[in-house]
Amino acid sequence: MANKGGKLVQPIQLTITHTGADAPLVVRADHREVERRSLSLGTHTFNIYVDPVETARKMVINYEIAGKSESAEVRVEPARKLLIFILPHSHHDLDIRISRAMLKKSKWQIFQGIELARKHGQLPARCAIRWNLEVLWGADLFMRTKTEPERQELISALKKGWIGLNGMYANELTGLCRLKNFSNYFATQPN
């Protein structure tokens, strides 16, 4: 599946060898024009896009170039629809010699993220500030060491989408293995 102009379409790959001078090409799928372009000498591979099919079916693909017409019947299978989540990954060095300054900075960054989001909260959603914690370790430290009002402030920021939680506790990639590991996080996100 592909998104073309906000509409889901299904690609079909064509390979056409043209042996003459540059000429216009018109491609139709089931008698409906789906592609128009100029074709130069050589072999060309490109996609045409048709409406997605819900069940497997045959489709007639026809093309005209330089006064010649060719057609073929192809079997089009339904494409699986996927929603893809992209997880930006950052490097987080958690040293075994944790210093008090590092602990303090980790908690301070959460406060800074909340404050930035609050200041810019009136902006449209696409422009708003979102603070993504690199690892869950910082949120765990915050929740274990801060006062109840401060913990509630973090929980509120999470529910508003101001703060994002990464699925990794301390940069362990095993947190990416199963989507169910993120289910509690997704349940807290606003619609």
Side-chain angles (χ1 to χ4, degrees):
M1 290 289 217
N3 185 326
K4 291 284 188 185
K7 179 182 175 191
L8 282 180
V9 290
Q10 190 163 343
I12 298 174
Q13 188 177 73
L14 297 182
T15 300
I16 297 175
T17 300
H18 178 53
T19 57
D22 291 3
L25 167 74
V26 177
V27 181
R28 292 180 180 84
D30 283 345
H31 311 290
R32 187 173 65 92
E33 186 176 314
V34 292
E35 180 74 22
R36 183 177 288 264
R37 64 171 62 195
S38 179
L39 223 54
S40 58
L41 175 69
T43 300
H44 305 270
T45 299
F46 56 92
N47 287 336
I48 61 168
Y49 298 94
V50 298
D51 292 332
V53 298
E54 297 297 324
T55 58
R57 71 179 195 84
K58 292 181 179 178
M59 186 176 286
V60 175
I61 305 297
N62 171 273
Y63 74 87
E64 297 171 17
I65 183 168
K68 291 174 151 181
S69 180
E70 294 284 335
S71 66
E73 193 172 77
V74 297
R75 182 175 170 85
V76 182
E77 299 283 339
R80 196 169 69 165
K81 295 176 185 148
L82 299 174
L83 178 59
I84 299 173
F85 294 93
I86 298 174
L87 175 68
H89 176 67
S90 59
H91 187 71
H92 185 81
D93 285 324
L94 185 58
D95 197 324
I96 57 171
R97 300 165 301 201
I98 299 172
S99 69
R100 288 180 187 258
M102 190 194 114
L103 294 173
K104 184 177 178 181
K105 182 178 180 184
S106 181
K107 292 182 276 188
W108 174 81
Q109 287 174 332
I110 292 173
F111 281 126
Q112 288 298 304
I114 293 170
E115 189 55 34
L116 279 171
R118 182 180 293 114
K119 282 182 182 177
H120 297 92
Q122 73 280 3
L123 293 174
R126 68 183 188 283
C127 303
I129 300 290
R130 303 286 186 253
W131 183 268
N132 188 43
L133 296 175
E134 291 178 312
V135 292
L136 287 175
W137 174 84
D140 184 35
L141 173 69
F142 189 94
M143 294 302 282
R144 286 187 288 114
T145 59
K146 291 308 202 178
T147 66
E148 183 59 25
E150 291 168 326
R151 289 194 295 266
Q152 288 305 314
E153 187 174 17
L154 174 58
I155 291 168
S156 175
L158 287 165
K159 288 181 178 180
K160 291 175 183 173
W162 292 355
I163 302 287
L165 295 179
N166 195 322
M168 296 177 281
Y169 186 77
N171 209 18
E172 300 145 331
L173 293 177
T174 56
L176 297 175
C177 294
R178 292 187 180 96
L179 185 58
K180 71 179 186 177
N181 295 343
F182 297 100
S183 62
N184 290 336
Y185 169 68
F186 291 133
T188 64
Q189 296 305 297
N191 290 332

